[in-house]
Structures are given as C-alpha cells and as structure tokens.
Amino acid sequence: MTRKWIDCRDFPDDTGCTLYLSGEEDHVLRAVAEHAVSFHGMEDTPELRDKFRGMLKEEKEEAGTSRA
C-alpha cells in the first residue's frame, strides 16, 4: 500500500508548527484531524477531513528501502 504524508510547514500559520505525518491514508487522516483539533483549534468535521485528504501526498520509495 502506498504511504501518504502531510507536513504542517506547507500550510504556515502563527503557531510555527513543524509536524510531519506519514503512513497509510486512513491513519494519517485520523492523526492530522486529531492534531488540527488539539493544536490548531479546528473543528473535526467530514469537510475538514475531505480537505486534508486532498492535501495528502504520496511518499516516493527510494531505491533499496523496500520493507518486504
């Protein structure tokens, strides 16, 4: 399964957050939603999760790093 990632540094705000999350899509979405609520004061809504889903990027596997 392809890993996804999101980095708060790509969406700067006044908190200066530097959190980077990566993993399977569902895990990252849950973690980023929890982080958005607890750290950035956002409300966890289906719309917010859809917005985050659209911001996720695919990790590129580097040569020789396969974890079979």
Side-chain angles (χ1 to χ4, degrees):
M1 176 165 275
T2 303
R3 292 173 55 91
K4 304 284 185 164
W5 64 271
I6 193 165
D7 190 333
C8 277
R9 293 172 297 184
D10 291 340
F11 314 99
D13 64 9
D14 60 347
T15 67
C17 185
T18 62
L19 186 69
Y20 175 94
L21 297 166
S22 72
E24 292 182 7
E25 183 172 318
D26 290 344
H27 296 159
V28 174
L29 282 174
R30 182 175 58 219
V32 75
E34 291 173 3
H35 171 71
V37 170
S38 67
F39 190 80
H40 295 283
M42 297 177 172
E43 184 178 348
D44 186 2
T45 63
E47 294 80 17
L48 183 67
R49 288 186 183 227
D50 285 343
K51 180 179 176 181
F52 288 143
R53 182 176 283 111
M55 295 175 172
L56 295 179
K57 299 176 184 167
E58 286 191 16
E59 277 192 357
K60 304 291 187 223
E61 187 173 308
E62 294 183 28
T65 61
S66 177
R67 295 180 181 148

